[in-house]
C-alpha cells in the first residue's frame, strides 16, 4: 500500500519512524458529467484567470485569499519550517480507556507502518504496551494543512490511528429528541430486549452494499443493450402503529422464524393466535383498522331453527288435511245428488233427515243458553 505521509511517533523520548497508509477505501461508483444532447463528456479545466491558459497540475500551488481578494502564496517549504512539533510527528499526549472516546468524533482511519528496520523494536514496544494496558493513545498530528487529533489503537498486529474531530466540532443535539413526554412500560422493554436477543449478533464480513450491486447490474445491462426499465414498487408511507406490543411480539416471532428457531409461533411472550400489529394509514378513519376482518354474522341457534321447521311441517299437514276434507265433502255431495235424482223415496228420506238435524241443532243451542250463568247486577 502506498504511504500518504512520512513522519514519526513521539512516545516520550522514544521516536518511532512510521509511514501513514489509508486503512479504508471507497467502493462507491463514480459517474461522469456528460452533455445530455450528444453524450459528450463535460470536463473541468484549471485555467489561470490572468492569462486564460490551462495550467497543468505540476504548476499549481497553494495560496491564501485575503479579504481584499489578493492571494498570499504558501509553499510546502513554508509549512515545513513552522515551529510546530506535530508538523512531521504524531505526538502522543496521554493514554485513556477506549470507552472514553465518543464515536461521534471518529473520522478517517489509517495504518501506521514501521519505516525501516530500526523502527521495528520501538514499534513493537508501543504495540504491546497498548495491548497490555487495554487503553488507547491520544495524539496530535498535522496533515493536509491543518493540525488534527488522533487515537492510536491495536488492530491485529498493527497500530492503527483514527482521526478524531476536535471536541468543539461536535454539535450539541439540541431540538433533536422528542419533545413529548413518553412513558415506556416494563413489558414493552422486555419485548424489546427479547427482540434484540433474537436478532443476536451479525457477521460483519457478511454485510455488503446492495445498492452498489444493483447499480453495477444496471450499468452492465445498459451497456449490453438489454436493459428494460421497470417501475419500482414503493411501499405506501404514513402508517401509524396502533398496538406497539403486538408489533414487538410479531417482530420477535418473525425474527425467530427467519433463524429457523423452534417455537417461533408461540414462545415470544404473547398468547397463541394473538392479534397481529394493527397499522392504520393516517388518512383512514380510526374505526377501520387494517388487518381486522369484518364481523362474522351471528350463528342461528339450534332451537330457533327446529321450531321454524316444526311450524312449517304443521302448516303443510294442516293444508293437506283441509284439502282432503274438501275433496271428501265434494264427493259426498255428489253421491247425495246422484241418489236424490234416482227415487222420490230417497228425496223424502233426505227431507226427514234434514228436519231431524235442524231439531237437534235447535235443542243444542237451547241447552247451551241454559248452561250459561246470568250476570248479577249489584244494587
Amino acid at each position: 500500500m502506498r504511504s500518504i505521509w512520512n513522519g514519526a511517533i513521539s512516545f516520550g523520548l522514544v521516536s518511532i519512524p512510521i509511514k501513514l497508509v489509508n486503512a479504508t477505501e471507497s467502493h462507491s461508483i463514480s459517474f461522469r458529467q456528460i452533455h445530455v444532447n450528444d453524450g459528450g463528456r463535460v470536463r473541468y479545466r484549471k485555467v489561470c484567470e490572468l492569462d486564460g491558459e490551462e495550467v497543468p497540475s505540476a504548476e499549481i500551488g497553494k495560496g491564501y485569499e485575503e479579504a481584499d481578494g489578493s492571494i498570499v502564496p504558501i509553499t510546502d517549504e513554508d509549512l515545513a519550517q513552522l515551529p510546530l512539533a506535530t508538523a512531521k510527528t504524531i505526538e502522543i499526549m496521554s493514554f485513556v480507556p477506549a470507552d472514553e472516546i465518543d464515536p461521534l468524533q471518529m473520522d478517517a482511519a489509517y495504518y501506521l507502518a514501521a519505516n525501516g528496520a530500526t523502527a521495528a523494536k520501538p514499534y513493537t514496544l508501543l504495540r504491546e504496551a497498548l495491548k497490555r494496558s487495554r487503553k488507547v493513545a491520544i495524539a496530535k498530528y498535522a496533515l493536509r494543512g491543518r493540525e488534527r487529533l488522533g487515537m492510536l489503537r491495536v488492530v491485529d498486529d498493527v497500530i492503527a490511528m483514527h482521526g478524531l474531530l476536535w471536541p468543539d466540532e461536535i454539535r450539541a443535539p439540541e431540538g433533536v429528541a422528542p419533545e413529548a413526554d413518553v412513558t415506556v412500560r416494563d413489558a414493552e422493554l422486555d419485548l424489546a430486549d427479547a427482540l434484540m436477543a433474537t436478532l443476536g449478533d451479525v457477521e460483519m464480513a457478511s454485510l455488503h452494499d446492495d445498492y452498489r450491486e444493483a447499480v453495477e447490474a444496471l450499468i452492465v445491462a445498459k451497456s449490453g443493450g438489454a436493459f428494460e426499465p421497470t417501475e419500482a414498487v414503493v411501499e405506501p408511507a404514513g402508517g401509524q402503529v396502533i398496538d406497539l406490543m403486538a408489533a414487538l411480539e410479531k417482530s420477535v416471532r418473525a425474527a425467530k422464524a427467519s433463524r429457523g428457531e423452534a417455537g417461533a409461533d408461540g414462545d415470544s411472550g404473547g398468547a397463541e393466535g394473538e392479534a397481529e400489529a394493527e397499522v392504520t394509514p393516517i388518512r383512514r378513519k380510526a374505526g377501520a383498522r387494517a388487518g381486522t376482518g369484518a364481523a362474522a354474522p351471528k350463528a342461528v341457534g339450534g332451537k330457533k331453527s327446529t321450531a321454524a321447521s316444526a311450524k312449517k311441517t304443521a302448516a303443510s299437514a294442516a293444508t293437506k288435511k283441509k284439502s282432503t276434507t274438501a275433496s271428501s265433502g265434494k264427493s259426498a255431495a255428489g253421491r247425495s245428488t246422484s241418489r236424490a235424482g234416482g227415487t222420490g223415496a230417497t228425496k223424502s228420506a233426505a227431507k226427514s233427515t234434514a228436519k231431524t238435524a235442524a231439531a237437534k241443532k235447535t235443542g243444542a243451542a237451547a241447552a247451551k243458553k241454559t248452561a250459561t250463568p246470568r250476570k248479577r247486577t249489584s244494587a
Side-chain angles (χ1 to χ4, degrees):
M1 290 184 287
R2 185 176 63 88
S3 63
I4 60 173
W5 183 86
N6 292 336
I9 298 175
S10 175
F11 179 30
L13 298 178
V14 178
S15 181
I16 310 171
I18 56 97
K19 296 185 294 184
L20 195 66
V21 179
N22 280 321
T24 61
E25 59 184 359
S26 174
H27 290 165
S28 61
I29 298 174
S30 300
F31 295 101
R32 302 295 186 185
Q33 290 186 329
I34 62 170
H35 188 196
V36 176
N37 294 337
D38 55 16
R41 182 175 172 183
V42 177
R43 296 178 180 269
Y44 289 101
R45 289 186 170 88
K46 298 178 180 180
V47 178
C48 178
E49 293 182 352
L50 297 179
D51 56 16
E53 298 292 332
E54 185 176 353
V55 182
S57 299
E59 298 180 10
I60 297 177
K62 292 188 273 296
Y64 176 78
E65 183 177 5
E66 294 187 319
D68 58 358
S70 60
I71 302 295
V72 179
I74 302 293
T75 65
D76 293 336
E77 290 75 14
D78 295 334
L79 296 175
Q81 294 176 2
L82 290 176
L84 187 63
T86 58
K88 279 291 183 180
T89 304
I90 299 175
E91 183 180 1
I92 295 177
M93 298 181 296
S94 64
F95 294 86
V96 299
D99 56 5
E100 290 189 8
I101 305 300
D102 191 341
L104 285 174
Q105 290 184 255
M106 296 290 187
D107 201 357
Y110 308 94
Y111 289 136
L112 303 182
N115 192 4
T118 57
K121 182 64 179 287
Y123 183 94
T124 305
L125 174 64
L126 176 60
R127 183 190 67 193
E128 296 304 315
L130 288 171
K131 281 184 179 181
R132 190 166 69 172
S133 67
R134 296 182 180 179
K135 293 183 177 181
V136 296
I138 302 300
K140 292 200 301 182
Y141 65 101
L143 182 66
R144 298 189 180 99
R146 55 170 295 193
E147 188 173 56
R148 302 168 186 264
L149 193 62
M151 178 191 75
L152 278 64
R153 69 185 184 98
V154 178
V155 178
D156 294 334
D157 288 332
V158 177
I159 299 176
M161 182 175 69
H162 295 270
L164 299 179
L165 299 175
W166 296 99
D168 59 357
E169 293 179 319
I170 305 298
R171 292 180 176 179
E174 296 178 355
V176 179
E179 297 181 358
D181 187 11
V182 180
T183 302
V184 180
R185 296 179 295 169
D186 290 339
E188 294 169 338
L189 285 174
D190 292 341
L191 279 174
D193 291 341
L195 178 58
M196 293 168 62
T198 303
L199 292 176
D201 300 329
V202 64
E203 291 291 338
M204 297 299 293
S206 66
L207 302 179
H208 58 277
D209 189 347
D210 293 328
Y211 183 79
R212 177 175 58 86
E213 293 178 357
V215 173
E216 289 175 350
L218 168 66
I219 295 172
V220 172
K222 294 201 73 170
S223 62
F227 175 70
E228 294 183 2
T230 57
E231 185 176 355
V233 179
V234 180
E235 294 294 334
Q240 181 181 6
V241 177
I242 302 301
D243 193 341
L244 180 59
M245 291 288 290
L248 288 170
E249 290 175 359
K250 181 181 177 183
S251 300
V252 172
R253 290 194 296 270
K256 288 186 176 181
S258 65
R259 291 177 174 270
E261 295 184 10
D265 294 329
D267 60 354
S268 61
E272 183 78 19
E274 190 170 349
E276 296 182 351
E278 298 176 353
V279 179
T280 302
I282 292 176
R283 295 183 180 180
R284 187 177 296 182
K285 294 182 179 180
R289 293 185 176 180
T292 56
K298 294 182 179 180
V300 179
K303 293 183 179 180
K304 186 175 181 181
S305 178
T306 305
S309 178
K311 186 176 181 181
K312 187 175 181 181
T313 304
S316 177
T319 304
K320 186 175 181 181
K321 184 176 180 182
K322 185 177 181 181
S323 176
T324 305
T325 305
S327 299
S328 301
K330 287 181 180 180
S331 299
R335 286 195 298 271
S336 298
T337 304
S338 173
R339 291 173 183 174
T343 58
T346 305
K347 289 182 180 181
S348 179
K351 288 181 180 181
S352 178
T353 303
K355 288 181 179 181
T356 304
K360 288 182 178 181
K361 186 175 183 182
T362 303
K368 183 177 181 182
K369 185 175 180 180
T370 303
T372 304
R374 294 182 179 179
K375 294 182 180 181
R376 295 181 181 181
T377 306
S378 58

